[in-house]
Tab-separated table of all heavy atoms in Angstrom:
chain	number	residue	atom	x	y	z
B	611	LEU	N	-10.795	34.318	-4.640
B	611	LEU	CA	-10.378	35.668	-5.041
B	611	LEU	C	-10.163	36.516	-3.818
B	611	LEU	O	-10.785	36.567	-2.849
B	611	LEU	CB	-11.642	36.404	-5.737
B	611	LEU	CG	-11.488	37.780	-6.231
B	611	LEU	CD1	-10.396	37.905	-7.319
B	611	LEU	CD2	-12.637	38.324	-6.806
B	612	GLY	N	-8.949	37.238	-3.873
B	612	GLY	CA	-8.518	38.217	-2.779
B	612	GLY	C	-7.672	37.398	-1.787
B	612	GLY	O	-7.242	37.984	-0.748
B	613	PHE	N	-7.320	36.150	-1.985
B	613	PHE	CA	-6.528	35.339	-1.198
B	613	PHE	C	-5.415	34.709	-1.939
B	613	PHE	O	-5.485	34.638	-3.119
B	613	PHE	CB	-7.362	34.218	-0.477
B	613	PHE	CG	-8.361	34.706	0.528
B	613	PHE	CD1	-9.558	35.187	0.098
B	613	PHE	CD2	-8.020	34.759	1.893
B	613	PHE	CE1	-10.550	35.600	1.017
B	613	PHE	CE2	-8.947	35.244	2.797
B	613	PHE	CZ	-10.179	35.640	2.363
B	614	GLU	N	-4.304	34.518	-1.277
B	614	GLU	CA	-3.104	33.772	-1.829
B	614	GLU	C	-2.606	32.673	-0.846
B	614	GLU	O	-2.811	32.813	0.264
B	614	GLU	CB	-2.071	34.746	-2.243
B	614	GLU	CG	-1.401	35.518	-1.018
B	614	GLU	CD	-0.492	36.703	-1.364
B	614	GLU	OE1	-0.201	36.775	-2.594
B	614	GLU	OE2	-0.075	37.298	-0.477
B	615	LEU	N	-1.860	31.767	-1.454
B	615	LEU	CA	-1.271	30.728	-0.670
B	615	LEU	C	-0.215	31.352	0.317
B	615	LEU	O	0.552	32.145	-0.129
B	615	LEU	CB	-0.601	29.721	-1.500
B	615	LEU	CG	-1.495	28.735	-2.248
B	615	LEU	CD1	-0.631	27.733	-3.108
B	615	LEU	CD2	-2.276	27.921	-1.201
B	616	SER	N	-0.248	30.923	1.541
B	616	SER	CA	0.812	31.334	2.564
B	616	SER	C	2.130	30.742	2.148
B	616	SER	O	2.276	29.687	1.684
B	616	SER	CB	0.386	30.709	3.969
B	616	SER	OG	1.488	30.772	4.856
B	617	ALA	N	3.199	31.585	2.309
B	617	ALA	CA	4.526	31.182	2.032
B	617	ALA	C	5.046	30.077	2.942
B	617	ALA	O	5.822	29.245	2.599
B	617	ALA	CB	5.575	32.325	2.005
B	618	ASP	N	4.432	30.162	4.145
B	618	ASP	CA	4.781	29.087	5.242
B	618	ASP	C	4.070	27.820	5.162
B	618	ASP	O	4.545	26.837	5.558
B	618	ASP	CB	4.694	29.802	6.636
B	618	ASP	CG	5.517	30.995	6.836
B	618	ASP	OD1	6.650	31.045	6.305
B	618	ASP	OD2	5.060	31.839	7.519
B	619	ASN	N	2.862	27.882	4.632
B	619	ASN	CA	2.005	26.775	4.598
B	619	ASN	C	1.175	26.772	3.245
B	619	ASN	O	0.245	27.468	3.110
B	619	ASN	CB	0.976	26.641	5.773
B	619	ASN	CG	0.154	25.454	5.668
B	619	ASN	OD1	0.039	24.693	4.745
B	619	ASN	ND2	-0.751	25.378	6.729
B	620	PRO	N	1.740	26.044	2.279
B	620	PRO	CA	1.032	26.072	0.930
B	620	PRO	C	-0.312	25.500	0.818
B	620	PRO	O	-0.912	25.418	-0.185
B	620	PRO	CB	1.981	25.280	-0.047
B	620	PRO	CG	2.706	24.344	0.924
B	620	PRO	CD	2.930	25.066	2.296
B	621	ASN	N	-0.932	25.090	1.993
B	621	ASN	CA	-2.272	24.613	2.022
B	621	ASN	C	-3.131	25.565	2.925
B	621	ASN	O	-4.119	25.276	3.378
B	621	ASN	CB	-2.439	23.102	2.389
B	621	ASN	CG	-1.931	22.324	1.271
B	621	ASN	OD1	-2.425	22.425	0.147
B	621	ASN	ND2	-0.778	21.539	1.609
B	622	GLU	N	-2.686	26.854	3.084
B	622	GLU	CA	-3.363	27.815	3.787
B	622	GLU	C	-3.498	29.071	3.004
B	622	GLU	O	-2.458	29.554	2.457
B	622	GLU	CB	-2.684	28.173	5.160
B	622	GLU	CG	-3.373	29.204	5.973
B	622	GLU	CD	-2.475	29.734	7.118
B	622	GLU	OE1	-1.328	29.358	7.214
B	622	GLU	OE2	-3.103	30.279	8.028
B	623	CYS	N	-4.724	29.540	2.826
B	623	CYS	CA	-4.962	30.824	2.019
B	623	CYS	C	-5.001	32.074	3.025
B	623	CYS	O	-5.724	32.014	4.068
B	623	CYS	CB	-6.167	30.720	1.255
B	623	CYS	SG	-6.188	29.414	0.036
B	624	LEU	N	-4.308	33.034	2.651
B	624	LEU	CA	-4.207	34.278	3.422
B	624	LEU	C	-4.730	35.475	2.575
B	624	LEU	O	-4.574	35.470	1.453
B	624	LEU	CB	-2.862	34.657	3.888
B	624	LEU	CG	-2.179	33.622	4.772
B	624	LEU	CD1	-0.722	33.961	5.056
B	624	LEU	CD2	-2.898	33.289	6.111
B	625	GLU	N	-5.446	36.407	3.234
B	625	GLU	CA	-5.975	37.496	2.474
B	625	GLU	C	-4.794	38.295	1.905
B	625	GLU	O	-3.801	38.515	2.597
B	625	GLU	CB	-6.873	38.455	3.356
B	625	GLU	CG	-7.495	39.497	2.657
B	625	GLU	CD	-8.627	40.089	3.437
B	625	GLU	OE1	-9.155	39.495	4.410
B	625	GLU	OE2	-9.149	41.123	2.960
Side-chain angles (χ1 to χ4, degrees):
L611 177 67
F613 291 83
E614 63 187 353
L615 287 177
S616 164
D618 298 327
N619 179 355
N621 288 302
E622 177 185 18
C623 295
L624 302 174
E625 190 164 347

